[in-house]
Amino acid sequence: KNAAGPRQVHVTGGHGNTRCAQIGGQCTIILEPGQGLRELKTAIRKTFGKYDYHKLSRLTLASTGAEVKKDQLVDGCTVVCHYTYAPGDASAFGGSRRRGFGRFGGFGRRGARDDLFLYAMMRGML
């Protein structure tokens, strides 16, 4: 099979938004000459949409189950999508964010009066 010309790659096991449910998690993507795995994964994401809290981790060949390499993307091959759990940006919830300097989050910011009061109380000044 000619890898130099456009190739049709059949994709199964796709997950995503409502459009993915409409097409049944399967599609055919045409790769132009010079395009490889990166372009295939990008096209899969665009076709199936966002799969909440998951990311497309790897592609395997349907025939052998081996992970796909660029030279195996020949015309008519079938690949299977595999996803892994991706919780997102944990720092967006504020749990890992550092608030300034010092023991109590720093003075001179919002809530600084409370921090100053707590510090004075612990030192026995009040």
Side-chain angles (χ1 to χ4, degrees), residues 56-106:
L56 181 60
S57 62
R58 62 190 177 102
L59 299 171
T60 57
L61 288 171
S63 57
T64 62
E67 197 158 339
V68 177
K69 299 197 178 0
K70 183 177 180 178
D71 60 336
Q72 295 170 327
L73 292 175
V74 295
D75 189 39
C77 72
T78 302
V79 298
V80 181
C81 300
H82 296 274
Y83 295 84
T84 56
Y85 178 70
D89 186 10
S91 66
F93 300 109
S96 64
R97 183 178 54 173
R98 184 177 165 99
R99 288 183 42 209
F101 302 102
R103 281 192 265 190
F104 302 108

Side-chain angles (χ1 to χ4, degrees), residues 106-124:
F107 300 118
R109 303 178 71 167
R110 180 184 297 176
R113 189 176 349 170
D114 298 334
D115 290 341
L116 186 60
F117 178 74
L118 181 63
Y119 182 70
M121 200 168 78
M122 289 180 67
R123 302 276 291 172

